[in-house]
């Protein structure tokens, strides 16, 4: 059964720093990997979707990479801002495609002003 | 605006009183699903639907029912809620079943069963 792990569970950094969030998964036979952001009391906002055939995706200050063979993904946030404070979730779709997303438990990120 | 809408956002109910949480999407997506989020356990899939009249169990289906009579709606039904179903619930949709398509989530429904 697919398992997704995110490290670290929590991270606090000063504003302006570049940072990396890590995600690993046990079964490399995935269809895609998606990074989400969750703010307190709100739903999940999709940040980046990486297809299994892709190596990375970029959106503004965010860059996500995927190494399917090693079961790893990273989310790189450049020039962090206080507004980036949130919980970041990594999720993969695997199995026969009918399966839903398997989520990691998230990284709680705090950007100090 | 493309969105997934859940109602209600907050609900407090008593054990055994049947309730329904509605979910609607306006993107003509085929695939819809329900998740629950619990501290320390993360998000887990309850049920999913590949299309109208096609539903199947996820990882934690016990105590829940769903139906998919129309493409846009996917209600979650708790026939006899119990306190262990106190949780934060999310509805999600995507264009097709998992394959390389982005998932969109509703704002969540916080359910408390007393």
């Amino acid at each position: 059964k697919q398992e997704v792990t995110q490290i670290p569970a929590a991270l606090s950094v000063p504003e302006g720093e570049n940072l990396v969030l890590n995600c690993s998964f046990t079964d490399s036979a995935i269809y895609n990997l998606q990074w989400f952001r969750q703010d307190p009391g709100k739903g999940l906002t999709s940040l980046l979707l990486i297809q299994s055939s892709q190596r990375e995706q970029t959106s503004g200050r965010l860059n996500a990479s995927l190494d399917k063979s090693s079961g790893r993904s990273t989310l790189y946030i450049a020039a962090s801002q206080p507004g980036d404070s949130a919980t970041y979730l990594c999720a993969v779709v695997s199995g026969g495609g009918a399966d839903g997303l398997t989520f990691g438990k998230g990284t709680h990120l705090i950007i100090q002003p | 605006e493309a969105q997934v809408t859940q109602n209600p956002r907050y609900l407090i109910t008593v054990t055994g009183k049947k309730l329904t949480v509605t979910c609607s999407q306006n993107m003509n997506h085929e695939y819809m699903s329900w998740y629950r989020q619990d501290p320390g356990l993360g998000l887990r899939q309850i049920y999913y639907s590949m299309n109208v009249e096609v539903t199947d169990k996820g990882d934690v289906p016990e105590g829940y029912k769903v139906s998919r009579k129309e493409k846009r709606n996917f209600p979650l039904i708790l026939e006899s809620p119990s306190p262990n179903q106190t949780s934060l619930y999310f509805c999600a949709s995507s264009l097709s079943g998992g394959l390389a398509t982005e998932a969109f989530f509703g704002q969540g429904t916080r359910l408390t069963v007393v």
Side-chain angles (χ1 to χ4, degrees):
Chain A
K1 183 182 176 185
Q2 179 75 269
E3 292 183 5
V4 179
T5 303
Q6 291 187 246
I7 295 173
L11 182 62
S12 181
V13 301
E15 179 179 3
E17 281 200 8
N18 302 323
L19 57 97
V20 174
L21 307 182
N22 296 292
C23 172
S24 62
F25 44 95
T26 55
D27 183 353
S28 62
I30 64 169
Y31 286 94
N32 64 54
L33 183 145
Q34 200 164 349
W35 282 93
F36 294 90
R37 168 187 174 136
Q38 184 175 20
D39 295 282
K42 295 191 176 181
L44 279 69
T45 301
S46 177
L47 297 174
L48 290 163
L49 169 70
I50 310 178
Q51 318 288 6
S52 61
S53 59
Q54 297 176 320
R55 298 284 298 200
E56 66 177 336
Q57 282 284 344
T58 298
S59 175
R61 294 182 294 108
L62 304 179
N63 176 276
S65 68
L66 174 63
D67 184 343
K68 204 171 77 161
S69 61
S70 68
R72 293 173 191 265
S73 176
T74 61
L75 179 66
Y76 175 82
I77 303 176
S80 58
Q81 303 170 357
D84 295 330
S85 298
T87 296
Y88 290 80
L89 296 161
C90 166
V92 299
V93 175
S94 50
D99 295 354
L101 292 154
T102 301
F103 282 87
K105 293 193 169 88
T107 294
H108 182 55
L109 176 63
I110 297 174
I111 307 298
Q112 306 153 11
Chain B
E1 179 189 355
Q3 60 185 5
V4 178
T5 303
Q6 294 177 229
N7 281 296
R9 292 289 311 280
Y10 302 92
L11 180 59
I12 300 175
T13 190
V14 297
T15 299
K17 185 175 181 182
K18 181 179 177 180
L19 65 91
T20 299
V21 184
T22 63
C23 174
S24 179
Q25 50 91 7
N26 63 1
M27 296 168 278
N28 201 36
H29 284 172
E30 292 183 349
Y31 188 94
M32 297 185 74
S33 57
W34 278 100
Y35 294 83
R36 61 177 289 174
Q37 186 177 33
D38 301 289
L41 297 176
L43 280 131
R44 296 173 292 169
Q45 191 183 50
I46 303 170
Y47 266 96
Y48 65 91
S49 169
M50 299 283 284
N51 213 324
V52 175
E53 302 292 0
V54 180
T55 63
D56 209 345
K57 298 176 181 179
D59 295 323
V60 287
E62 294 77 20
Y64 304 95
K65 285 176 55 177
V66 293
S67 68
R68 188 90 181 274
K69 294 185 171 58
E70 307 166 277
K71 199 170 189 178
R72 65 182 292 126
N73 296 323
F74 190 46
L76 179 70
I77 304 157
L78 284 72
E79 294 269 2
S80 182
S82 63
N84 64 12
Q85 293 178 297
T86 293
S87 186
L88 180 59
Y89 291 86
F90 289 102
C91 178
S93 74
S94 57
L95 186 61
S96 61
L99 295 175
T101 59
E102 185 178 8
F104 296 84
F105 280 74
Q107 292 297 295
T109 295
R110 186 166 293 281
L111 172 65
T112 302
V113 183
V114 298

